[in-house]
Amino acid sequence: MTVNVLVIGGGQNAEHDVSLASAAAVAAALRMGDHTVTCVTIDREGIWRADGIRAGASAAESLALAMPLIAQADVVFPAVHGAPGEDGALAALCALAGVRVVGSGVGAGALGMDKWATKLVADAVGIRTARGRVISADDIGDVEFEGAVVVKPVSAGSSHGVALVREEAELLPALRAAARLDRRILVEEVVRGREIDVAVLCEAGGIRWAAPPLEIHAEGLFDTATKYDGTARFTVPTQLASDESAGLRRAALAMFDALGCGGLARMDFFLTDDGPVLNEVNTMPGLTAASQAPRMFAAAGVAYPDLVARLVKGARVPR
C-alpha cells in the first residue's frame, strides 16, 4: 500500500541549509520505495512554501494554507534541525492534528533540544556529563574567567555559537556569540576524551537498538566549520574495547528511554579514561546519506533508503 508522506525541511534557525539537505535526501530516498512524497519548506522568516500556498502569505496564513497537506498525509517527516521544529514544535502540531510523525514526540524533542535539561536527565539515570552552569544573556558581563571552558547556547544545534575559550580575552566574545542564538548560555568544563557518537533507532513495534559507534577525528573543537567543510574524518565502526562499546551503547539506550525519544536519535559522547561522558542529544540528527547517524546504520547493514523507510514505518501520533 502506498504511504503518503509529507516531508518538511528548512526552518527559522542557523541550521536551515542543513535541514534543506536532509529533507531533499529523505524525499529522494522515499520516492525509491512505495511512498508518495510531498515536500514543504519553512523559510528563514517562518513562511511555509509549497504548491498551493499563496505567495506573500504571512507565517500564520501560510501555515493555515499548509494544513491540508498535513491532513492528507499518512505520515509527516519533519526533517527540520534546531528550534522551532526539532524542539517538539512540529511534533506538537502533528499531535493536535492527530497525524503520525517520524521521530520524537513533544516532550522528548523539548528536553533533547535543551542541553541543560538533558544534563539533568542524564544525571538522574547515572550518566556523567561535563560540569557546567547556565548564565543569562543579561549577565554575561559579570562572568569571570577561571580557566578553559566551552561556551554554547542552551538550545542550538550543529555547534552554532559553540566556542572553546582558553584565554580571558576570548570569554566575552564567546558569550556574546552564544547569546545571539539563545538567551540562556551553558558554560562547561573542558572534557578530554575521544569523541564518539552512538545512534539509536526505534523500530515499528517499539524495539530499540544502537548502531555501531562512530568516532570523530578533528583537530581541536568539532565546530560548525569543521562539521561541514570536509576536514573532519569519521571512523565507523570505531575500534573500542568490548566493555567500552557496551558501555556507550547502554548509555545511549538509557538516554533514549529516559528522554522518551522515538524514531532516530544520536547521542554524542566523550569517551574518557573513566568511561563515557554525555555531550548532547540530537532527536533529529542530520539525515543525508553522508550524515553521521546514517553512516552508523550503514555499518550495521541498514542502507540509507531502508533506514528512511523504517522511520516512516515506525511513525506514530505523538503524545
Side-chain angles (χ1 to χ4, degrees):
M1 182 177 69
T2 299
V3 179
N4 297 314
V5 183
L6 176 65
V7 178
I8 304 176
Q12 295 170 265
N13 57 59
E15 296 184 83
H16 180 88
D17 291 338
V18 180
S19 298
L20 290 181
S22 289
V26 165
L30 289 174
R31 289 185 175 115
M32 296 170 62
D34 194 17
H35 303 89
T36 299
V37 180
T38 303
C39 295
V40 61
T41 296
I42 303 172
D43 73 14
R44 296 180 187 276
E45 286 70 49
I47 308 297
W48 292 57
R49 300 191 180 278
D51 292 342
I53 298 179
R54 176 172 51 82
S58 67
E61 291 171 330
S62 67
L63 174 56
L65 293 170
M67 286 307 298
L69 297 177
I70 295 174
Q72 294 159 15
D74 297 314
V75 173
V76 172
F77 200 128
V80 174
H81 313 307
E86 186 180 350
D87 59 349
L90 288 173
L93 180 64
C94 292
L96 290 169
V99 178
R100 294 165 59 205
V101 64
V102 169
S104 292
V106 181
L111 287 170
M113 193 83 239
D114 187 310
K115 295 180 178 64
W116 180 249
T118 298
K119 289 168 77 72
L120 298 178
V121 173
D123 181 66
V125 294
I127 297 171
R128 292 193 304 137
T129 64
R131 289 181 299 176
R133 58 180 175 138
V134 173
I135 295 168
S136 168
D138 296 326
D139 299 328
I140 59 177
D142 298 327
V143 179
E144 296 182 357
F145 181 78
E146 298 176 356
V149 291
V150 175
V151 173
K152 59 182 74 171
V154 168
S155 296
S158 291
S159 296
H160 288 287
V162 178
L164 173 60
V165 174
R166 298 185 181 90
E167 299 177 1
E168 184 174 2
E170 300 170 337
L171 180 58
L172 187 57
L175 292 168
R176 286 172 174 163
R180 286 194 284 270
L181 297 174
D182 198 333
R183 298 299 298 171
R184 293 189 303 151
I185 303 158
L186 185 57
V187 179
E188 291 182 322
E189 68 176 356
V190 178
V191 178
R192 306 293 181 186
R194 297 165 65 183
E195 291 193 55
I196 297 180
D197 296 347
V198 182
V200 176
L201 175 66
C202 184
E203 304 269 17
I207 297 174
R208 313 103 57 255
W209 61 284
L214 172 148
E215 184 168 5
I216 300 164
H217 306 280
E219 294 296 328
L221 187 69
F222 187 44
D223 57 12
T224 304
T226 306
K227 285 185 177 182
Y228 301 115
D229 66 6
T231 59
R233 295 180 299 107
F234 305 112
T235 300
V236 58
T238 191
Q239 295 297 312
L240 295 168
S242 59
D243 61 329
E244 292 174 331
S245 180
L248 284 162
R249 293 193 192 203
R250 279 196 304 270
L253 287 165
M255 282 305 302
F256 192 94
D257 291 343
L259 292 170
C261 295
L264 172 68
R266 195 190 76 224
M267 316 295 174
D268 301 345
F269 295 94
F270 296 106
L271 182 58
T272 72
D273 292 340
D274 298 319
V277 174
L278 180 70
N279 184 26
E280 65 179 42
V281 173
N282 295 268
T283 56
M284 183 53 69
L287 276 180
T288 69
S291 299
Q292 288 145 262
R295 286 188 190 217
M296 286 183 256
F297 285 103
V302 180
Y304 180 71
D306 186 20
L307 174 63
V308 173
R310 291 188 190 199
L311 287 170
V312 170
K313 187 176 180 180
R316 57 189 177 182
V317 177
R319 296 181 180 179

